[in-house]
Amino acid sequence: MLPRSLTFFLALAVICMLGIAAILSAFWTPHPPTALETGPPFASPTWAHPFGTDAVGADIFSRTLSATHVDVGITIAVVGLALLVGTIWGSIIGFYGGWADAVSLRLLQVLQSFPALLLAMLVIFALGNGIRNVILVVAVIPLPDYVRLSRAEIRSKKTWQFAEAARLTGRRPIGVLFRHLVPNSMRPLVANASINASWVAATVGALGFVGLGIEPGSVEWGSMVAGGQAAVGSGGWWISFFPGLGIFFLSAAFHLLGDALTDADISRRS
Amino acid sequence: MIETRRPILGVSGLHKTFRIRHSGIAKSLTAVQRVEFELYPGETVALVGESGSGKSTVARCIARLIDATSGEVVLGDLPLTHIRGRALSKVYEDLQMVFQDTHGALNPRMTVQATLEEPLRLRLHLSRNEREERVRRLLESVDLGPELLDRYPRQLSGGQRQRVCIARAFAVDPKVVLLDEPTASLDVSVRGQVLQLLRRIQKERNVAYLLITHDLALVRRVSERVLVMYLGSVVEQGTTAEIFNHPTHPYTRALLSSAPVVEYGRVKSRLRLTGEISSAVDLPRGCPLAPRCPLVQASCLDSFPPLLQVTPTHSVRCPVVLAGAGAGKDAIAPVREHSATDSTHGRGRR
Amino acid sequence: MSSDPPLAAEQATSTDVLLEIADYSGGFTSQTGVFTHVLNGVAFSVARSTITALVGETGSGKTVTALSILGLLPRTFRRISGSILFEGRDLLKLDDEELRAVRGSQICMVFQDARTALNPVFTIGTQISDVSRLHQRVSKKQARNTAVEVLDRVRIPDPRRCMRQYPHELSGGMAQRAQLAMALVCRPRLLILDEPTTGLDVTIQADILELIVDLNRNEGMTTLFITHDLGIVAETCDAVVVMQYGEVRETGTCEQIITSPRNAYTQMLIAASRFQGVSE
């Protein structure tokens, strides 16, 4: 049922650590993340400042830690939203078919024909920065995958006899859909959600980097990487490095988790 | 035997066609046509046929899992064909179905307890304890113990799963139960037990069974009347004795003569049909068996043959065989059996 | 169990025995390392030119036994003891190359679901020709002609048309005949059929069974017929081996087994097949 591979446990461990960091950092960090002059500016990593300090003397460790709850939070919010909307949408059109199905598929095709990151950047440019816009835009872009997946699952499972049997217990068709069919379709959707989370984490970071995420300069990994760009040339590698590492770990961990879940799903089916 | 009882289920003029697209062209697939029969309380009627006969479609139309194109299904006094919503839920207290695939007929994520509670939960207002008690008794009634309540379908054997399906169907004490190949997916040694269970329940509750199957030995053992279907229509119907001792329609004879029997040294003399079953898409006029029938004549291709009575209980949809036979069910038209490799392989060859 | 493997057909001498399985035991190791016995001391023989039935329900080990003959079991299977002698050679002692030479040309197998046993992306003609070219030195043209011939032998109505068709275009009965053709093309000495008619309509099943019996009668094709249907056994087979839970319960001629079975399990199986436990 659950995968037992090393990959799975490692990925889960990393995500758990990041999750704990996210929760913890909302209450405490060594230095306030926005505090200036906590130490000498441009100081390379030391015990006092494990990740060093930036141009205004802010502690990078605290900032990186604090940004965890922003990036992890946004990732989970986005994936949760996309999963919820995608599953409901896909399940309904998969079950009932008809014109809603045809129209939906065309709509999704149009959406998918745009290059993802470019679309995200354009829409945020048009709508403006802010956490709400980021979440909405980044949730809409991977929606087609969720819709198609749940649609395919429902379409294949609705011919199974337990769905017919459920009708005979007196359930309305919509009850059969959400009480019986959807719970049985969740496995591939969860695996997809995990892999999607990896993309989301990277994309949020990318948007922050180009200044199209939440407010530029805010405590968010992508934004911090952008902020440290200039210093790299003069040897101040740590300013961009550690936030970048954060993006990397979050993204990679979700991807590996998704891989492990997909493998487990495949070996279960065979 | 004259029926003075009233039928519990009546089917008349049942038609079902599907609209399909074949290479971009819209076509009509005739799954069921002109099916008509009655079911009386406490009896077992078998609907027999091979794949493509339409027997499963008939069952699903009766159970309102799909909508018939035309025709009427009556349960007691209640016409079923246009009922929806809450009224339909009520119908399922009297009409139930047991499915063939024991594996797919149970929700893999629900325990036995949850599966059996569902039919109770949706219609009766019982307290939690009362429900649990009912579920326990249900399990007992199908000879299963309460230790199975927390198990999932994958942890049960085929026979156990089928019993759970039967328990689920009888949770609401129905008057008619459609049995769709109830033992086909079970091991031979388990079949007898499940059938005996169904028999026992039938005697206790006077339930009527519509048995949908292709297993002729089973039909002979448990049913009182038989309807033989081919390509959507009933080609012959009668009592079990009539069908098995005096099969008349060429298809019935082909079917019965082809089925293997657990008997050594039996000389098998088959009525052969040429080719394979035709497509149900855009069915031509005329008898559906015409392309394959050894007795085919020009008139068979022109018009759909009517169902003709041989006795008050025995009807055959083949004027050709009846014309050759004359009146009386004993004289049957001589059959032109043709096959280059006609082999009557009894055991005498070694 | 006596040390001599019981002979499944009457009056067979050792030269008449094509396949002899002796004291064959083995099982599967699960992912967690647990070993489950699947076969225990299986022993029987198949006499030349007979149709021998291997009868059992799920879990009897009949399919595992058949796959053992051809070495088609997954790596998780471990043999504990026994031998499988085919014309005197122990198949279990052959290396991969020798086994490949036997498979497809001397021993062939036909599976239950023809449409998944055939490769969906190649035509029937291609698949059959491939098999003959794999084992014999023939040209493409010769292989195709042989393919047409063998399709005719299995009574496919229009062999040349069938050559160009894909498995999904064939009906269940036709696909099974095509699979049979693929098995026969190299004229094997032993034909193993694993539930070849399960899932087919009764009338089609009867046709295919007649074909199999004719192949045996006219060409002396030794056949091992795996099935759970005793009706089929009674009407087509000469000798019977009954298995349950990985062990052989009884062997004998068809007449002996059907009319006077001695083993309790065999008796129960026959009674159950006749639905004798069910009241009228």
Side-chain angles (χ1 to χ4, degrees):
Chain A
M1 301 296 117
L2 276 183
R4 291 181 205 213
S5 59
L6 186 64
T7 325
F8 177 71
F9 287 117
L10 220 61
L12 199 62
V14 172
I15 291 174
C16 284
M17 281 195 321
L18 287 170
I20 292 172
I23 297 171
L24 210 68
S25 65
F27 300 109
W28 176 87
T29 52
H31 300 271
T34 45
L36 311 172
E37 303 205 348
T38 59
F42 285 117
S44 58
T46 60
W47 278 116
H49 299 278
F51 287 2
T53 62
D54 66 3
V56 292
D59 177 29
I60 300 202
F61 181 68
S62 303
R63 282 174 66 86
T64 308
L65 205 63
S66 182
T68 307
H69 72 254
V70 173
D71 284 274
V72 172
I74 295 184
T75 302
I76 293 188
V78 166
V79 173
L81 188 63
L83 185 62
L84 185 69
V85 174
T87 302
I88 295 179
W89 187 355
S91 299
I92 292 183
I93 60 174
F95 192 70
Y96 291 103
W99 62 266
D101 188 35
V103 166
S104 300
L105 287 178
R106 298 290 166 273
L107 219 79
L108 295 170
Q109 273 178 335
V110 170
L111 189 56
Q112 280 182 304
S113 57
F114 289 100
L117 189 56
L118 199 61
L119 183 63
M121 287 176 13
L122 284 172
V123 174
I124 294 196
F125 186 68
L127 296 179
N129 299 59
I131 198 167
R132 199 192 62 179
N133 288 347
V134 168
I135 291 182
L136 284 174
V137 168
V138 181
V140 165
I141 291 175
L143 205 55
D145 279 337
Y146 289 96
V147 175
R148 280 180 204 276
L149 245 183
S150 59
R151 176 181 177 269
E153 280 288 305
I154 298 293
R155 273 167 67 110
S156 81
K157 294 222 158 73
K158 77 176 178 183
T159 54
W160 284 32
Q161 289 170 359
F162 76 83
E164 290 184 313
R167 290 275 286 126
L168 291 172
T169 59
R171 271 203 192 276
R172 308 290 196 83
I174 197 134
V176 174
L177 175 61
F178 284 108
R179 178 74 179 81
H180 286 269
L181 291 172
V182 169
N184 271 295
S185 324
M186 287 315 289
R187 264 181 225 270
L189 279 165
V190 168
N192 184 63
S194 191
I195 300 221
N196 181 231
S198 137
W199 175 84
V200 168
T203 303
V204 168
L207 287 173
F209 182 76
V210 298
L212 285 171
I214 59 183
E215 296 307 319
S218 56
V219 181
E220 185 269 315
W221 286 334
S223 197
M224 289 168 66
V225 172
Q229 258 191 313
V232 173
S234 48
W237 56 272
W238 53 89
I239 307 178
S240 293
F241 178 75
F242 292 104
L245 208 62
I247 300 178
F248 169 73
F249 273 119
L250 183 62
S251 180
F254 270 122
H255 203 288
L256 290 174
L257 189 74
D259 270 351
L261 287 171
T262 310
D263 282 345
D265 192 35
I266 291 176
S267 55
R268 185 186 61 95
R269 280 172 201 260
S270 62
Chain B
M1 186 172 60
I2 302 169
E3 295 294 349
T4 50
R5 304 171 295 168
R6 302 193 56 224
I8 187 71
L9 184 74
V11 176
S12 57
L14 196 66
H15 263 77
K16 176 66 186 170
T17 51
F18 291 98
R19 281 196 319 267
I20 57 164
R21 294 201 85 82
H22 197 70
S23 327
I25 310 170
K27 296 198 185 189
S28 172
L29 190 152
T30 310
V32 174
Q33 50 172 330
R34 302 172 217 236
V35 170
E36 214 160 286
F37 64 92
E38 287 171 340
L39 193 61
Y40 289 88
E43 73 166 343
T44 304
V45 170
L47 208 52
V48 172
E50 299 175 299
S51 53
S53 58
K55 59 191 195 300
S56 279
T57 310
V58 168
R60 279 168 172 75
C61 283
I62 294 174
R64 291 298 312 287
L65 292 169
I66 58 182
D67 288 328
T69 311
S70 67
E72 193 65 60
V73 176
V74 180
L75 182 68
D77 288 323
L78 183 65
L80 293 186
T81 22
H82 299 292
I83 287 195
R84 292 192 183 290
R86 197 156 296 187
L88 189 55
S89 287
K90 205 112 189 21
V91 168
Y92 291 143
E93 290 177 28
D94 294 325
L95 176 65
Q96 275 293 322
M97 190 158 167
V98 174
F99 295 91
Q100 167 179 356
D101 180 11
T102 63
H103 204 74
L106 296 172
N107 187 330
R109 300 182 88 245
M110 283 170 72
T111 57
V112 170
Q113 167 114 26
T115 298
L116 292 179
E117 269 189 4
E118 220 189 337
L120 299 175
R121 185 186 293 244
L122 290 172
R123 42 180 67 85
L124 305 165
H125 301 288
L126 301 169
S127 75
R128 189 176 163 174
N129 284 339
E130 285 172 339
R131 258 205 318 266
E132 280 179 15
E133 185 52 41
R134 288 279 282 248
V135 167
R136 216 170 302 251
R137 272 191 282 140
L138 258 180
L139 265 191
E140 250 178 62
S141 70
V142 294
D143 302 327
L144 290 177
E147 68 275 3
L148 295 182
L149 283 173
D150 290 325
R151 302 241 184 114
Y152 287 92
R154 62 174 184 273
Q155 296 167 302
L156 304 174
S157 70
Q160 287 171 328
R161 285 197 295 263
Q162 194 63 306
R163 286 168 197 270
V164 172
C165 288
I166 292 172
R168 175 174 61 185
F170 282 99
V172 292
D173 207 11
K175 304 200 182 94
V176 176
V177 177
L178 312 173
L179 303 166
D180 190 359
E181 304 274 13
T183 53
S185 58
L186 301 176
D187 272 334
V188 172
S189 55
V190 175
R191 286 178 195 182
Q193 296 164 24
V194 171
L195 290 168
Q196 192 57 13
L197 171 66
L198 286 168
R199 196 52 148 181
R200 196 189 79 212
I201 298 178
Q202 185 177 43
K203 293 213 172 98
E204 282 170 8
R205 307 189 190 196
N206 209 33
V207 185
Y209 288 149
L210 183 64
L211 175 65
I212 296 121
T213 183
H214 63 277
D215 186 341
L216 294 166
L218 171 63
V219 168
R220 191 170 199 165
R221 194 78 197 176
V222 303
S223 44
E224 282 100 50
R225 289 190 291 129
V226 183
L227 284 86
V228 181
M229 287 187 72
Y230 182 78
L231 215 54
S233 51
V234 175
V235 297
E236 187 164 359
Q237 60 190 62
T239 64
T240 306
E242 282 167 340
I243 297 289
F244 281 87
N245 297 334
H246 306 284
T248 311
H249 194 280
Y251 178 68
T252 314
R253 292 169 61 192
L255 199 61
L256 261 64
S257 62
S258 302
V261 176
V262 188
E263 241 179 72
Y264 180 78
R266 182 171 156 260
V267 171
K268 197 164 180 172
S269 159
R270 283 183 63 198
L271 175 74
R272 278 161 221 285
L273 302 171
T274 54
E276 300 203 338
I277 189 169
S278 334
S279 166
V281 179
D282 289 346
L283 266 186
R285 236 173 15 170
C287 176
L289 193 63
R292 305 175 70 191
C293 185
L295 304 185
V296 66
Q297 301 188 353
S299 56
C300 300
L301 300 165
D302 284 333
S303 56
F304 195 79
L307 201 57
L308 300 168
Q309 271 203 350
V310 175
T311 73
T313 46
H314 188 183
S315 307
V316 180
R317 199 187 288 280
C318 183
V320 172
V321 83
L322 292 178
K329 57 187 175 176
D330 292 327
I332 297 192
V335 169
R336 181 173 44 96
E337 281 190 82
H338 63 92
S339 167
T341 54
D342 199 1
S343 55
T344 53
H345 52 281
R347 305 281 12 127
R349 61 190 176 97
R350 289 252 171 235
Chain C
M1 199 80 35
S2 68
S3 53
D4 278 335
L7 291 172
E10 54 201 359
Q11 293 172 349
T13 63
S14 59
T15 51
D16 278 344
V17 170
L18 189 65
L19 183 78
E20 198 173 297
I21 301 182
D23 193 32
Y24 187 63
S25 305
F28 288 97
T29 315
S30 75
Q31 275 182 331
T32 47
V34 178
F35 183 78
T36 322
H37 256 100
V38 169
L39 298 176
N40 192 10
V42 173
F44 63 87
S45 44
V46 178
R48 208 176 284 272
S49 297
T50 60
I51 303 181
T52 302
L54 190 52
V55 176
E57 301 174 287
T58 40
S60 58
K62 55 191 198 296
T63 304
V64 176
T65 307
L67 293 174
S68 296
I69 298 172
L70 281 171
L72 287 174
L73 289 167
R75 257 178 247 250
T76 48
F77 181 80
R78 193 161 53 89
R79 174 179 71 106
I80 295 174
S81 68
S83 61
I84 299 182
L85 297 177
F86 175 67
E87 294 189 321
R89 283 163 90 196
D90 190 352
L91 295 176
L92 300 171
K93 295 209 164 68
L94 298 182
D95 63 35
D96 280 346
E97 204 178 308
E98 291 169 318
L99 205 52
R100 266 199 295 268
V102 169
R103 257 185 234 144
S105 66
Q106 293 179 43
I107 305 180
C108 293
M109 190 153 169
V110 167
F111 299 91
Q112 177 176 336
D113 188 357
R115 273 182 281 201
T116 53
L118 295 167
N119 191 326
V121 299
F122 292 115
T123 59
I124 303 294
T126 309
Q127 293 188 54
I128 300 181
S129 313
D130 278 354
V131 172
S132 53
R133 292 184 72 205
L134 192 63
H135 292 280
Q136 300 159 353
R137 304 186 74 84
V138 288
S139 70
K140 246 189 185 169
K141 191 156 189 278
Q142 279 175 307
R144 288 195 81 81
N145 286 337
T146 315
V148 173
E149 265 172 37
V150 77
L151 284 172
D152 191 49
R153 235 166 100 205
V154 298
R155 299 177 202 160
I156 283 189
D158 189 347
R160 286 201 186 273
R161 181 162 169 263
C162 183
M163 293 276 288
R164 296 190 301 266
Q165 286 181 306
Y166 288 89
H168 69 263
E169 294 176 270
L170 302 176
S171 68
M174 285 296 144
Q176 198 57 294
R177 289 174 197 270
Q179 209 200 154
L180 198 54
M182 221 163 100
L184 293 173
V185 73
C186 291
R187 301 194 177 267
R189 314 237 179 93
L190 175 65
L191 183 64
I192 304 180
L193 305 167
D194 191 355
E195 309 263 16
T197 56
T198 303
L200 296 178
D201 283 338
V202 169
T203 46
I204 306 291
Q205 171 178 281
D207 288 337
I208 297 207
L209 290 174
E210 274 178 13
L211 172 62
I212 292 169
V213 169
D214 285 344
L215 283 169
N216 170 265
R217 192 160 48 141
N218 300 336
E219 301 179 25
M221 176 69 68
T222 313
T223 309
L224 182 63
F225 198 126
I226 300 164
T227 182
H228 63 274
D229 187 331
L230 285 168
I232 294 180
V233 172
E235 292 185 354
T236 59
C237 301
D238 304 303
V240 184
V241 176
V242 179
M243 285 182 73
Q244 186 196 24
Y245 301 143
E247 296 180 351
V248 173
R249 294 280 176 241
E250 190 171 358
T251 62
T253 64
C254 184
E255 182 173 10
Q256 286 167 351
I257 299 280
I258 301 288
T259 55
S260 47
R262 276 169 299 181
N263 180 273
Y265 175 70
T266 315
Q267 291 166 352
M268 185 276 295
L269 214 56
I270 292 182
S273 307
R274 295 181 180 139
F275 292 107
Q276 276 168 356
V278 185
S279 48
E280 284 279 317

